[in-house]
């Protein structure tokens, strides 16, 4: 049964933050410098965990604003900030052009087709000279799963192999996001990539993962009917078991951080 926004928000906080988002924010922390910023905006702040970590390290005179993706996430983020008495302004608000000295955009769960728009939005709210940082997966991610999904589609829906090909092609390359950043008005653009591995004991563990079943698979299989989705998922499970036998199943993600400066 499809999860509600409230249920997904709690899953984000309980599981996705640690299992998924942390891989991207730890890489971002290595390339983030907001020491001279008077104000910082965090786009797609989720349940606010990374914002709270930044609040501990950024000068208390620096104001931190965070835009969450929906009201359920905002509620959790505000409760967490209140519990630790952290001064972070969480909302779902739109912000004015050129209003921030630094902008951080967390795009790890953003639809690949919306990444260009996210970069444009980050550049829009950044002031001239402001630093901009974006986190996301890039091309080469999920290759192990997409390969098996292609086999599953071919087996269960012979005319639908194109779906897996489209999934692979939809994930942007580092070259593409650098071009989008330049087009959005950023200079000194750089990308930093780290390979992250996700391991599961078997197909059962894979399908029990909230990351897989509540956040990744619904996106990958969203064009399928319920019946086709069930058949493809079942076949994928068979292929995972056949692929790895008694060893763990692993897929890898190219965690990527793009940095730049507003011209």
């Amino acid at each position: 049964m499809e999860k509600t926004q409230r249920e997904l928000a709690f899953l984000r906080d309980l599981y996705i933050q640690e299992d998924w988002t942390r891989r991207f924010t730890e890489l971002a922390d290595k390339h983030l410098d907001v020491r001279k910023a008077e104000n910082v905006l965090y786009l797609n702040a989720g349940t606010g965990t990374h914002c709270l970590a930044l609040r501990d390290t950024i000068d208390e005179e620096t104001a931190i604003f965070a835009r969450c993706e929906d009201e359920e996430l905002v509620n959790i983020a505000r409760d967490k900030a209140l519990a630790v008495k952290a001064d972070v302004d969480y909302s779902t608000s739109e912000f004015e052009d050129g209003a921030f000295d630094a902008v951080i955009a967390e795009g790890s769960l953003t639809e690949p087709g919306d990444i260009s728009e996210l970069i444009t939005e980050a550049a829009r709210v950044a002031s001239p000279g402001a630093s901009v940082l974006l986190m996301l997966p890039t091309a080469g991610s999920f290759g192990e799963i997409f390969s098996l999904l292609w086999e599953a589609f071919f087996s269960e829906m012979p005319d639908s192999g194109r779906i897996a090909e489209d999934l692979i092609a939809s994930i942007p390359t580092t070259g593409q996001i650098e071009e989008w950043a330049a087009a959005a008005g950023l200079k000194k653009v750089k990308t930093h990539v780290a390979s992250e591995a996700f391991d599961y004991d078997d197909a059962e563990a894979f399908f029990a993962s909230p990351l897989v079943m509540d956040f990744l698979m619904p996106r990958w299989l969203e064009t399928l009917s319920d019946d086709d989705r069930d058949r493809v998922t079942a076949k994928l499970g068979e292929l995972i078991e056949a692929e790895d036998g008694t060893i763990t199943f692993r897929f890898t993600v190219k965690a990527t951080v793009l940095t730049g400066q507003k011209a």
Side-chain angles (χ1 to χ4, degrees):
M1 186 171 64
E2 186 176 351
K3 299 287 196 305
T4 66
Q5 286 299 115
R6 183 176 178 80
E7 289 171 327
L8 289 173
F10 278 106
L11 288 174
R12 281 279 294 271
D13 195 44
L14 292 173
Y15 299 104
I16 309 307
Q17 167 59 41
E18 178 61 24
D19 190 31
W20 172 263
T21 313
R22 176 183 57 80
R23 318 278 191 114
F24 294 86
T25 57
E26 286 182 350
L27 178 61
D29 288 340
K30 296 176 181 178
H31 303 283
L32 179 65
D33 184 2
V34 294
R35 288 173 295 180
K36 297 181 180 180
E38 293 185 4
N39 58 15
V40 177
L41 174 63
Y42 200 119
L43 299 175
N44 294 348
T47 59
T49 300
H50 193 216
C51 292
L52 297 181
L54 292 176
R55 180 72 285 173
D56 285 340
T57 60
I58 295 176
D59 189 291
E60 63 181 15
E61 298 300 319
T62 300
I64 301 180
F65 297 82
R67 189 169 78 195
C68 302
E69 297 91 315
D70 60 56
E71 290 294 341
E72 298 294 351
L73 293 171
V74 167
N75 291 336
I76 293 175
R78 286 174 175 168
D79 286 345
K80 290 167 65 173
L82 183 63
V84 297
K85 299 180 180 179
D87 184 13
V88 179
D89 188 340
Y90 293 104
S91 70
T92 57
S93 301
E94 296 295 323
F95 295 94
E96 296 180 358
D97 294 1
F100 295 91
D101 298 328
V103 180
I104 302 165
E106 209 287 89
S108 69
L109 291 174
T110 300
E111 291 280 357
D114 295 333
I115 291 297
S116 177
E117 182 179 344
L118 179 60
I119 294 174
T120 299
E121 173 67 1
R124 180 187 69 80
V125 295
S127 61
S131 62
V132 175
L133 182 147
L134 171 74
M135 298 167 256
L136 76 163
T138 51
S141 299
F142 312 113
E144 300 87 346
I145 301 178
F146 290 164
S147 176
L148 297 183
L149 268 178
W150 187 92
E151 291 187 52
F153 284 129
F154 186 78
S155 171
E156 303 302 313
M157 304 167 59
D159 296 329
S160 300
R162 178 77 182 180
I163 297 175
E165 295 174 11
D166 289 344
L167 285 173
I168 296 170
S170 70
I171 302 180
T173 65
T174 54
Q176 284 177 310
I177 62 173
E178 287 171 358
E179 290 177 2
W180 294 338
L186 301 185
K187 61 181 183 179
K188 299 181 180 178
V189 174
K190 297 180 180 179
T191 50
H192 314 272
V193 182
S195 183
E196 293 287 344
F198 295 79
D199 293 293
Y200 301 89
D201 289 340
D202 49 30
E204 182 179 0
F206 177 78
F207 288 121
S209 164
L211 171 65
V212 173
M213 292 308 293
D214 297 306
F215 290 87
L216 298 179
M217 292 291 283
R219 176 188 300 175
W220 295 337
L221 304 183
E222 64 181 349
T223 61
L224 304 187
S225 66
D226 290 344
D227 181 60
D228 287 340
R229 188 181 299 114
D230 289 343
R231 289 191 292 114
V232 168
T233 301
K235 186 62 179 180
L236 177 61
E238 293 177 15
L239 293 169
I240 289 174
E241 290 297 315
E243 180 84 3
D244 290 281
T246 59
I247 64 175
T248 60
F249 174 68
R250 166 178 289 188
F251 70 84
T252 54
V253 170
K254 300 298 184 183
T256 302
V257 165
L258 177 144
T259 57
Q261 185 180 48
K262 178 72 172 288

